[in-house]
Amino acid sequence: MVTGPAHVVGTPSYNGEPALRSVATAGSQIDLAGSSSGVIAGDPFVSFQADVRPGTGFGFVGLAGALGGPVAVVGVGSGQVWAGSDPTHATAVEPIPQGTAQPSGWVYLSANVYETTFKNKATAWVMDVFVDRTDVVAAQVEVPNAGDYASFLIETTAGTVYYTDTILTDYQIPVEVPGYNNMDGYGQGSGLLVELLPTFTTLTATMTLKNWNTPQTGILSFQINAMNYYGTARSTCKGFFQLGVDLDPSGHIAPWYVEGTNCIAHYFGPSNSGAISPGFNSPPGTTLDLTIQDQPAAHQILFEIVDTAPGVPAADRDSVATIPYSGTLFYGTYTQTEWQPCCSNYPIGSYWLNGTLSDIAISGGQVGGPIELSPQYMLPFALDMPPSWNLNYYEVSTAGYSQVA
């Protein structure tokens, strides 16, 4: 805290996550997180995000320069979203969205800040702003001094504003790729700029499917991913191993895995077919135990999903498959909700999932006994995320998060 009163409160919360209550009394209330908090200056690309509850106040999040003054901010107030190099020069981007998956009164703000070259070959620092979604860029604004950032900034210029789930990282959070599969999740991998984990052999997680309602088979899925070195450091289907389920109509789920040589799902069963499976009935509230395990001595990778819901037939309770494998151990992991626009006969808002991923842990290799992954590693990503989705926050106590899609 630099100036003005601010403290953490449990109410109001963001779906249970406490918030910073910031009050602008005499002038602005300002908080800065700099090098002592792990902020590294000088990166050519950074992302930030925050969930903000403005009420009748006016508040901003973004980047501050070496002297503490703002250099790139996004904020909310007076029913509008604002963006600019500082609060004084911020301009209105759009009205605060209504009817999104965000909790009532909250707005999800995210941005990418980077240096770019325009068609006339001039270079400048710009900020792409996203509001409650990442499939549409709400605005691109020039922020000429953003390259000199040194701190993450929270600034309340009027009234009382609440902030939570604030993240600054050089790993891209909001991603807009029109026409690509819509995805979101937590973790790192499939990119040139990632943090390598110590090598591990086993990824485990618990998936709870509270309820879902979908109009078409094989379109919406929920999954975990483990990657070898090649798959961690590159955007590729090679060395990229997935395990998950389709959320299908009439209470059906269809478990599947991706075997690391392509991105084609193979459905469990006698044929391990790549053809879309209708799956089986599993009641709302079902809990699935997921495991991806490299077994070096056997030169294979094991995929397993155990459905613990009572009443599920024995033949569907344990889905197991192995594939030959002699590559490196795993170096990265992330989770994923995914929707396939290519094949859907219905808009994305017609597909509903309310679920959680928890107990996400790695073990084996250099890791030894199971360890849960920290929020510093489990960074969010939101690729073409529509306003009907919300991946909430990564909760340390459960090593997971709640997903609404």
Side-chain angles (χ1 to χ4, degrees):
M1 186 167 60
V2 174
T3 182
H7 62 279
V8 175
V9 296
T11 303
S13 72
Y14 181 85
N15 281 347
E17 185 181 37
L20 179 74
R21 182 178 187 268
S22 171
V23 183
T25 50
S28 295
Q29 195 281 311
I30 297 174
D31 299 270
L32 291 175
S35 59
S36 63
S37 304
V39 175
I40 300 173
D43 276 318
F45 181 105
V46 293
S47 286
F48 65 83
Q49 72 160 44
D51 290 296
V52 184
R53 182 185 175 106
T56 58
F58 223 117
F60 294 84
V61 294
L63 304 175
L67 298 179
V71 293
V73 296
V74 182
V76 284
S78 297
Q80 296 282 330
V81 176
W82 305 77
S85 57
D86 60 74
T88 302
H89 297 95
T91 57
V93 170
E94 63 177 48
I96 294 174
Q98 302 297 315
T100 74
Q102 300 303 314
S104 177
W106 293 87
V107 184
Y108 173 59
L109 303 175
S110 60
N112 295 321
V113 186
Y114 56 96
E115 188 176 35
T116 189
T117 302
F118 296 103
K119 291 182 179 179
N120 62 3
K121 298 185 179 181
T123 60
W125 277 80
V126 297
M127 177 170 61
D128 292 342
V129 178
F130 300 85
V131 184
D132 279 351
R133 62 194 303 173
T134 70
D135 57 343
V136 174
V137 178
Q140 184 181 86
V141 296
E142 292 195 22
V143 284
N145 298 318
D148 296 327
Y149 80 90
S151 302
F152 186 82
L153 167 76
I154 296 174
E155 180 170 353
T156 300
T157 59
T160 299
V161 181
Y162 298 88
Y163 307 85
T164 196
D165 207 18
T166 54
I167 299 172
L168 172 65
T169 176
D170 53 12
Y171 187 82
Q172 187 170 357
I173 298 174
V175 184
E176 183 225 8
V177 185
Y180 202 72
N181 287 7
N182 306 74
M183 307 178 194
D184 69 18
Y186 277 95
Q188 297 185 43
S190 297
L192 294 176
L193 186 60
V194 297
E195 177 184 355
L196 295 178
L197 291 170
T199 57
F200 62 98
T201 62
T202 306
L203 170 65
T204 55
T206 299
M207 182 182 291
T208 302
L209 306 175
K210 296 180 181 179
N211 56 73
W212 66 98
N213 187 1
T214 59
Q216 189 177 344
T217 298
I219 303 299
L220 181 66
S221 60
F222 202 18
Q223 62 237 40
I224 61 173
N225 309 319
M227 292 144 285
N228 66 15
Y229 181 82
Y230 192 90
T232 299
R234 295 167 178 81
S235 180
T236 175
C237 291
K238 184 178 179 181
F240 176 71
F241 307 94
Q242 294 182 296
L243 180 66
V245 297
D246 290 345
L247 290 309
D248 291 335
S250 303
H252 280 62
I253 63 172
W256 51 263
Y257 62 94
V258 167
E259 57 186 11
T261 56
N262 52 44
C263 286
I264 298 174
H266 291 259
Y267 290 84
F268 290 96
S271 64
N272 285 339
S273 171
I276 293 176
S277 167
F280 57 87
N281 185 265
S282 190
T286 187
T287 297
L288 309 176
D289 294 327
L290 282 67
T291 302
I292 305 175
Q293 184 175 62
D294 181 8
Q295 300 175 334
H299 301 287
Q300 66 181 21
I301 287 181
L302 166 78
F303 301 91
E304 183 174 23
I305 297 181
V306 179
D307 192 327
T308 65
V312 173
D316 299 324
R317 187 173 299 278
D318 196 0
S319 300
V320 184
T322 59
I323 61 168
Y325 179 72
S326 298
T328 70
L329 301 185
F330 300 139
Y331 280 84
T333 180
Y334 61 90
T335 67
Q336 193 173 344
T337 301
E338 182 173 4
W339 185 78
Q340 300 189 64
C342 68
C343 315
S344 179
N345 299 325
Y346 304 88
I348 193 168
S350 299
Y351 294 79
W352 174 261
L353 162 66
N354 182 358
T356 63
L357 272 170
S358 62
D359 306 305
I360 303 166
I362 59 174
S363 59
Q366 294 177 325
V367 173
I371 62 167
E372 296 176 340
L373 295 165
S374 72
Q376 283 72 30
Y377 180 82
M378 297 300 282
L379 296 172
F381 70 93
L383 197 164
D384 290 345
M385 186 179 75
S388 58
W389 287 21
N390 180 9
L391 74 165
N392 281 285
Y393 52 94
Y394 184 77
E395 189 172 8
V396 176
S397 62
T398 64
Y401 63 100
S402 297
Q403 170 79 59
V404 172

